[in-house]
């Protein structure tokens, strides 16, 4: 459920209904701390993650599904953080791989092992959208690229990275919206769901 | 391996090396029919799919992994075809769901069951990039959106659909390049690989 | 009459002339509260709507013409509000249909009845311009789409939604400027005028 | 029903079902002449308009609803033609007002009477998107603007006219896609429907 | 001479040299009030116009050349002001024609006489770039169009008006940069110079 | 009068009326050779310029007004040609200054004398929009810049040159549409008209 | 000297003058084969390179300056060819490094030695503009990036690669126009000139 | 090494390692003053340049390599400053050439001698990207163009200058990102490195 624009009372009512009529996890996204407190007072048993601004009831067990989050540069950090926190809140195991921009290819190659052990890789990169192509060539698992609005001038606030990631020559890369660490984590969650329903 | 720009002899040499030193499937993409014949004459045992322009040796066993390919309108057909053929050639089970544009929501809803049975859904839509959002709200599995260059005027040859799919409000949707049925199928292949390496 | 850039005295003079030489309603748009007070002191009998920033003399009788205003998400709320208030101020009956983004199609379908009872539907949607297509397929009456500048990144401050609504596959949808709840209400007013002059 | 991508047999089957279960007109759009003949052979009683590429069964009675189609210049002619033919095929009365670009304002003013008699005005203009603003100020009825891709250079194949029409200062103008005479006629049809269901 | 980035002392030195070696007017543009005072203390005899931020020595005699400045709406006012003040400072006669947007064509037509008496017309218009086309059709003299960044959404901060003015169907219109009342006045000055050097 | 879209008979009728009720020159633009012959057969006394595609009756006497047309490179030639031919056909004296791109500044400077003798300068430049700035700094008369669609890649088919000419730092330059030699000549004609009506 | 738009006779005259009054090499660019023959008949002693369309007299001695031309994919081949041929024609030593796209990083790394031996590297890459960043991090010498118009959709005919190369995080990379192998070679030539004039 | 996002302790550790295992200069970029002090306290012997925000150990000897930095206007000053300071900090000799915009060509020509003495020229220009073409035609050495975000309207915050510099007709010019004085200096550094390793 998407939280913004609903009162705590409205959220609580919907959550109660969902808990009663379904058996899986119930998530409310983009909830601020104050609203979360109010909702939890009415529907106990949930867990709130302030960084990810998520409310979760019947959280999924910590999954065997591991997402590596690879960030090109330090200015891509906040978006990578969002991806890591949301992924953790929804029960995924995470592995943070930082400072692996393609202008220093050897740092990236040194992390090849960790990247290959992951079930999916989220690549966060702004001025250097190039990282998605490079990682796509190193691993066989799903690669979810997040363009970021870092950089200036020709970066066009993330539009250049978004387009470049789509034009990438590594087959099978997919892309989410600019700065959307949240969207990338949710895409990884969908992957994990597929595994979970298998015998 | 990416085929274009290599001679049949070069391709044959690389394929032979890959078959000798690895155990998994070997793929050569975007190969035309004539080149394929020449390569297969030198390295027998491979299979060529003319529609997908793929050469495959040691094809993966037909997978239990099913990809539904949902197309908004008939003009999106060729791109949906490419996605279906490439997916089949690389061992995925496929299900084609056609004519489910959001301007006729009831046709889409009538297919909810088939969409929910799939392990991943590829959504192919041009003037109506809207379909990705709608499907994203109907299924829990990964959704890979392919914007198409159909339509005219404000569609800007697919750029509008690409941007609209990224701005979608359904969490966890990912997007590939305009008209890239190939890219979407390869992204689905990466998903299937994750399942396959599980016990 | 367009209010900005005129002094209250200038507005009053023009209104007086219009009241004397015509018989229909007289509207002055985008007038702030202070100017409105000054004008009304000179030309009594008018009504001021602060939300819509409209001055109206000889207001049209409340019309039998009903406009439904359907908003995709809560962040589209302020634009939907503007449409509702302006429509009310100019004598239209209104019906607010909220939170019907296409990522939750069933909420939209549950409102089909209300949408079909309206004489026109204003669709307010930002990141999910998709709603215009979906509503266009559900109703036979005029649909006026308002793209909003909500969202971020690939939404390009409303330009993506504007283009996507134009590329929509539902025939007969029309579009107004980004965030222009005012323009949409005025377009509905023009529709109502046509009915009114019929016998 | 949208025709492209369906075989004549498929179209015939759907039309038969629609005629059996509804009472209103049944339209199939964008059908070429050969397919139309095949469909009419199976489902007699329909009428085909080659210019509009429309098949209509149980055509609506010729409506009292009149649409004026005002075109700025001769290069906007084909789009204006499409609007006129589609409007006629779906039962609207039409009035063609040509060569009224704003660079020759007096020609436009000379037609004010005809424009004011219409129930709706479709404005077709390319390099001179300006016409929509001017007409919007002359009439009180709905104005549907169609930007065209005529002109060159800064016209950006219709994108400039589309944006300019949205930025227009005449309140209540709505816009359809570039070159979409079809879309404008369908928007007028929706207006006429509202009138028709009134007592 | 372009003022910004030069110290008062530098400006003074250059002005002294220009006065000594030429006979025409000497202009320094975009000078703030404080710098102007300092320069005038060193090189007396000049005149400073605070609104236009111009310093002028040996001002041209008030010219018989008249520039009409026509502004579409009140939000275009500041740019029209800049054009009027700069034109006055450099010796042109001016005539301000306001509130003549094409959505109210009759107000524009009522001013035809004044526009035709001018030697050049500067048209200032934002959301309604249309005004340039309309004026271009009414007068035979040079028309200099200034797009403004007023409006919102599809106006793209003046870019839409700039492109629309270029795509105008009125032959012989020329355009200057967005919001550049200064540039338009200087273009008119160049016209006046041609007249002046004639016998 | 704008020719396209009118039959020779229509053109002839309008020309006859204009000749009867006015005294100045009568121009019909963009007329092809065949139509011109047909019109001249009905309304003798006119002159046809095939290059400029202009029909002129009562041509203005050859003016003392001289337009220099400066072209940056040879690929800008056809647009410069159009400007020269149209200017000649409407009675202006012309001076063609070629191959003066700013990458060879000395060639430009060598022509300073000719440029300064002109009453107006039309600058035609594509990949090197820079020429407008340079000429603007060399002459005091009106400068009309014509961006051309020559070049490739970053030239964006003339859009880059158009924007660059507007961003020029030389005060008083004005710009016409991409490749519009016609528009530039007509703008010069407007200048000459001002001179002509002076005593 | 830039060849296009000059007759062979004009070229011959200029070349003769340049040979007489200077001592360095004389180059005429973009000359087709027929014109070249005509010019060489008049001014013997020159050398014509058909691939590079260059005429050279007093060719520079083969330089000790080596340019490596690294191309990402085979579709970038023709642009790389142009760079290689032009560079050779103007006396540079060249080294062609092909198929080193970042999606196959190990192929790139395997060529690190050759790249480091060069005095400058020209990087030719389209869909994978990423290569410029990666090479920039591997070598210390000047890197000249050439974006190519290969690819489709989000590649926007080379604009995406051009912007991405500018937004690159590797310091000191410079960029030339889309597909301009010629421009890159000429930039390398300027580098070699600096070395040559050193003692 | 790129400084941002690393703690002083991290920087110090990496610098120590680089000093131990290499022999050339060690640079850390974009370090603020406080962090620089902390790092220098741990790794003495370095030099900090506050303007360039650079830390340098084992600085290169002052080079015989001279970079001229030519700026079009005073508003381009800060970017030119950055280029000059960074170039000085990394051991290059610099020569600042200011106020040489092409609208005042004679000021530029007066500096031809200084420009020709340089080993490379950095051209900094915003609204007048034209300067790069002009300088490119005056010197034979490498020209590195830096578009700046000065100006307004059609300048599109530097994008117009960036595109115009790429479309330039002067062969062999290269371009760096908008406002990137840093990038231009680093590109010049790469040139100087080539000279240095020569015998």
């Amino acid at each position: 459920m998407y939280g913004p624009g609903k009162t705590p009372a409205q959220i609580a009512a919907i959550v109660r209904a969902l808990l009663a009529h379904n058996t899986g996890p119930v998530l409310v996204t983009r909830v601020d701390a104050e609203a979360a407190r109010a909702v939890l007072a009415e529907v106990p048993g949930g867990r709130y993650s302030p960084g990810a601004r998520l409310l979760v009831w019947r959280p999924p067990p910590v999954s065997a599904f591991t997402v590596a989050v690879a960030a090109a540069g330090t200015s891509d950090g906040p978006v990578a953080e969002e991806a890591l926190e949301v992924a953790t809140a929804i029960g995924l195991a995470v592995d943070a791989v930082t400072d692996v921009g393609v202008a220093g290819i050897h740092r990236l190659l040194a992390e090849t092992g960790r990247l290959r052990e992951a079930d999916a890789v989220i690549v966060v990169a702004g001025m250097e959208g190039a990282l998605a192509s490079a990682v796509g060539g190193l691993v066989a698992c799903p690669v979810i690229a997040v363009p970021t609005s870092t950089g200036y001038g020709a970066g066009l606030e993330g539009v250049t990275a978004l387009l470049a990631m789509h034009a990438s020559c590594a087959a099978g890369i997919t892309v989410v919206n600019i700065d959307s660490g949240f969207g990338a984590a949710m895409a990884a969650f969908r992957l994990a769901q597929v595994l979970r329903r298998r015998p």
Side-chain angles (χ1 to χ4, degrees), chain A:
Chain A
M1 194 206 325
Y2 190 68
K6 301 197 183 68
T7 64
Q10 288 174 312
I11 294 175
I14 301 175
V15 168
R16 242 185 252 112
L18 289 169
L19 289 171
H21 298 96
N22 297 281
T23 56
V26 173
L27 311 177
V28 190
T29 63
R30 310 237 159 157
V31 186
D32 64 36
E34 195 174 345
R37 253 193 313 274
V39 174
L40 287 172
E42 292 200 43
V43 195
R47 185 180 67 193
Y48 182 64
S49 307
R53 293 193 296 153
L54 258 184
L55 270 169
V56 186
W57 284 262
R58 290 198 302 236
V62 172
S63 168
F65 192 94
T66 302
V67 186
V69 177
T74 40
S75 52
D76 302 313
V79 175
E81 268 313 294
E82 190 186 57
L84 288 163
E85 286 190 37
V86 174
T88 302
I90 55 184
L92 306 179
V94 298
D95 184 17
V97 181
T98 57
D99 198 19
V100 289
V102 301
I105 274 188
H106 293 289
R107 284 195 302 276
L108 172 61
L109 290 177
E111 306 292 6
T112 305
R114 284 167 71 193
L115 295 171
R116 289 198 174 144
E117 269 160 36
D119 294 300
V121 181
I122 291 172
V123 174
V124 180
M127 53 183 176
E128 184 152 41
L131 184 58
S133 294
V135 170
L138 289 175
V139 303
C141 73
V143 174
I144 301 159
V146 191
T148 65
S149 58
T150 57
Y152 57 90
L156 300 181
E157 297 178 22
V159 173
T160 295
L162 183 145
L163 294 171
M165 283 165 165
H166 276 298
S168 162
C169 66
I173 291 178
T174 61
V175 187
V176 298
N177 199 1
I178 297 165
D179 289 340
S180 186
F182 176 80
M186 292 308 288
F189 183 66
R190 285 173 178 259
L191 303 179
Q193 291 298 89
V194 176
L195 283 178
R196 196 166 282 151
R197 71 185 191 189
R198 295 279 157 155

